[in-house]
Amino acid sequence: MADADRIKLLESSIAYLQGKLRDAGHLEDAILPPAAELPQHWGGAVTFDEPAAEPPPAAAAAGEGKSASATYLSDEDEPVEYDEMTPEIQAEVDKFKNEGNGFFKAQQYKEASQAYGKAMKLLDKCGKPDVKIISNRAASMLAMDKFVAAAFDGQRCMEVDPDWWKGYWYRGQALMKMLKGKPPSTSMAERCEQAKIAFQDCLKTTTLPDAKRPQVEMELQNSKNTLMSMTTACNQS
């Protein structure tokens, strides 16, 4: 596996752990540095253990049936076993989704995010994520100024359904709001660049309502202007 592929796999694993920490309430006010800066924060270059040498045929036969601890990232993902989606589970999902919708309309965003999270957990166990429930939680997180969580859920939407406009929209908004009150820096410029890309991709979706297009275009232009001013400030410092 090439180093670039291993880095992508590592980033995916980090994103998964971020989600787990966020769900547990431990990742509300922190954000992992951009991927390009990870080596700096770790104090060294990103390295991977080399695959172990192939054992001789005799040794391989002797060790057949025994599990070995891998010292490197596998080229193939382990198969995931999902629960069966039953009418009972679907009823629970619908109940939590409706509760979340009710809480959101009442502007009880914390309760809404928790209800959506319960529905998402059930669906994830069955391997059937619902992009609209995920984007609803992203909206709840955004309303609570939980920008890291909102950006994460927006990214999840993009992965589940690349044509669902709200994933890009909420991710772009969350990334831009992270910049407020922060001095220009390379990491802030990178987040602004990510927001710009999110708004650009949002405009490419077929699900974006025509009435919403001017607002997305305005946010895209704002991200471009902000990125230009940040780049200028960084070059002058």
Side-chain angles (χ1 to χ4, degrees), residues 48-169:
F48 299 91
D49 293 330
E50 289 300 321
E54 289 293 330
E64 188 175 353
K66 297 181 180 179
S67 60
S69 58
T71 59
Y72 58 94
L73 296 176
S74 173
D75 287 348
E76 298 181 1
D77 294 332
E78 290 293 327
V80 179
E81 293 186 4
Y82 295 111
D83 295 340
E84 179 183 357
M85 172 59 80
T86 64
E88 292 77 17
I89 293 177
Q90 186 61 59
E92 284 288 295
V93 169
D94 293 340
K95 183 189 81 169
F96 289 132
K97 180 181 70 174
N98 292 333
E99 286 180 357
N101 292 343
F103 284 130
F104 191 90
K105 290 177 181 177
Q107 299 184 0
Q108 296 176 268
Y109 301 120
K110 181 178 180 179
E111 291 79 3
S113 67
Q114 291 172 343
Y116 291 136
K118 291 175 182 178
M120 288 167 57
K121 189 172 292 186
L122 289 172
L123 289 168
D124 286 345
K125 287 182 178 180
C126 297
K128 297 183 180 295
D130 186 314
V131 71
K132 293 185 178 180
I133 294 178
I134 300 171
S135 64
N136 284 349
R137 189 172 73 168
S140 301
M141 293 298 184
L142 200 58
M144 293 189 292
D145 292 344
K146 305 293 186 183
F147 304 135
V148 175
F152 183 89
D153 280 345
Q155 177 67 33
R156 179 105 192 274
C157 287
M158 292 156 53
E159 294 168 356
V160 171
D161 184 355
D163 196 43
W164 181 236
W165 71 277
K166 286 188 177 181
Y168 304 97
W169 175 240

Side-chain angles (χ1 to χ4, degrees), residues 175-176 179 187-200 223 227:
L175 289 167
M176 289 301 293
L179 306 180
S187 61
M188 292 298 108
E190 183 172 334
R191 285 174 196 163
C192 190
E193 174 70 23
Q194 292 173 357
K196 183 192 78 171
I197 292 172
F199 292 133
Q200 287 175 333
S223 66
L227 181 60

Side-chain angles (χ1 to χ4, degrees), residues 5 11 23-24 31 55 95 101 125 129 213:
D5 293 332
E11 290 173 354
D23 289 340
I31 184 170
K95 183 189 81 169
N101 292 343
K125 287 182 178 180
R213 185 170 293 273

